[in-house]
């Protein structure tokens, strides 16, 4: 608890100066981390040091679900959150957690920088969070310690860690697997000790966490493309002058451009590191069986959120 509270209590150097805490789950050398550092540096520079920040990497300020709550309360000032765990509190955010909703990265960018991003931003604002921009997080694929996965039947009986969100439990259940929601930081040990057989993530996360050391089959199902949100606490945002808000927004937008470029580079680098490490990677050219198996997730979601069916429809039908 002390760790969570301490940064917010830091006394400002002058009456005006603000010292923000930024939450990040990833290691320092990761596209999200570099994006956040660039954001913080630009805000500090353009405000002549009035708005300075410290980015706490590696999840030291708490797990993602906890940090989202702390950001709503203004204890954490900003962070980069996966829209996966955010969906638990913000239904609009859940549209990106529907399997195979995006056709690819370009379409995802268009939707996130357009209608989908705007709708999610409104949902977040109602919960006390300002979405400043959307970072890339690639496509998530299954990995496990037992065998290659080529069809949904191969998931049956496997214990699979998922992010904290009922939709992902439904997704794994729909294939007959046993879904276990768990914090990111606990997954390595859970894989190592056999508490779970596998998990799912994008190449940079699978690689940077060393999960590949203890779960060496990586099956490119690419079932989820879940962008991440560079988010600011609405409490922090509302304290800013219009000029400072413009500076913060511009720095965020610039950091999105940087992060997306770094992301594409890191994806390639991670895949080649995984290959060099002897990970057994299998591609899945025809993903239609996975799509069909996961389709019940849509019904589960739309039943709970009928008002979002237009948005889902728009995303599914857009090019
Ligand atoms: C990574 C996301 C991170 C999530 C993590 C997870 O960048 O925000 O916490 O997956 O699986 O890809 O929990």
């Amino acid at each position: 608890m002390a760790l969570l509270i301490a940064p917010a209590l830091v006394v400002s150097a002058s009456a005006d100066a603000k010292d923000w805490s930024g939450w990040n789950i990833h290691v320092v050398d990761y596209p999200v981390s570099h994006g956040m550092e660039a954001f913080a540096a630009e805000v500090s520079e353009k405000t002549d040091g009035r708005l300075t920040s410290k980015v706490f990497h590696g999840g030291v300020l708490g797990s993602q679900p906890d940090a989202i709550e702390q950001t709503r309360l203004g204890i954490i000032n900003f962070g980069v959150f996966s829209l996966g765990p955010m969906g638990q509190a913000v239904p609009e955010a859940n549209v990106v957690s529907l399997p195979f909703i995006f056709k690819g990265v370009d379409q995802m960018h268009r939707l996130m920088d357009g209608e989908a991003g705007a709708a999610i931003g409104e949902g977040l604002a109602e919960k006390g969070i300002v979405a400043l921009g959307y970072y890339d997080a690639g496509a998530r694929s299954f990995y496990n310690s037992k065998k290659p996965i080529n069809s949904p039947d191969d998931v049956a009986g496997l214990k699979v860690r998922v992010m904290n969100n009922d939709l992902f439990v439904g997704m794994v259940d729909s294939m007959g697997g046993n879904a276990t929601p768990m914090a990111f930081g606990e997954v390595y040990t859970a894989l190592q000790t056999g508490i779970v057989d596998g998990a799912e993530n994008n190449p940079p996360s699978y690689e940077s966490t060393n999960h590949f050391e203890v779960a060496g089959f990586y099956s490119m199902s690419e079932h989820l493309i879940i962008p991440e949100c560079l988010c600011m606490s609405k409490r922090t945002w509302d304290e800013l002058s219009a000029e400072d808000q413009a500076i913060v927004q511009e720095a965020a937008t610039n950091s999105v451009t940087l992060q997306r470029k770094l992301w594409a580079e890191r994806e390639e680098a991670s895949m080649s590191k995984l290959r060099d490490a002897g990970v057994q990677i299998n591609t899945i050219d025809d993903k239609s069986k996975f799509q069909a198996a996961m389709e019940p997730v849509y019904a589960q979601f739309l039943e709970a959120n009928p008002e979002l069916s237009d948005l889902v429809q728009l995303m599914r039908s857009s090019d």
Side-chain angles (χ1 to χ4, degrees), residues 14 19 38 45 69 77 79 88 100-101 138 145 151 158 175 180-181 205 211 261 291 303 308:
S14 79
D19 207 343
E45 192 196 312
E69 281 311 303
N77 304 98
Q88 209 54 358
F100 298 104
I101 186 123
S145 57
S151 87
L158 285 183
M175 294 177 290
T180 307
S205 280
H211 290 179
K261 176 176 162 283
Q291 240 166 315
E303 205 177 300
L308 290 173

Side-chain angles (χ1 to χ4, degrees), residues 25-26 64 82 140 161 163 184 201-202 205 228:
I25 203 157
H26 292 290
Q64 184 140 206
S82 166
R140 297 173 76 97
R161 176 270 173 176
M163 287 191 281
F184 193 44
N201 222 317
N202 51 55
S205 280
E228 312 202 340

Side-chain angles (χ1 to χ4, degrees), residues 191-232:
L191 287 165
Q192 195 176 34
T193 56
I195 291 173
V196 293
D197 302 312
E200 43 89 60
N201 222 317
N202 51 55
S205 280
Y206 175 51
E207 170 262 304
S208 66
T209 53
N210 297 323
H211 290 179
F212 66 90
E213 293 172 358
V214 284
F217 294 96
Y218 196 27
S219 306
M220 308 312 288
S221 49
E222 300 180 328
H223 51 279
L224 289 169
I225 293 181
I226 305 182
E228 312 202 340
C229 173
L230 172 55
C231 289
M232 174 157 276

Side-chain angles (χ1 to χ4, degrees), residues 20 71 74 76-78 232-240:
W20 289 339
T71 304
I76 290 172
N77 304 98
F78 67 101
M232 174 157 276
S233 172
K234 194 161 179 306
R235 292 199 180 178
T236 305
W237 176 259
D238 287 344
E239 284 173 0
L240 298 176

Side-chain angles (χ1 to χ4, degrees), residues 9 11 26 39 52 111 116 211 215-216 260 280:
L9 297 180
V11 179
H26 292 290
F39 165 71
T52 59
L111 284 165
H211 290 179
R260 288 180 180 178
Q280 289 208 41

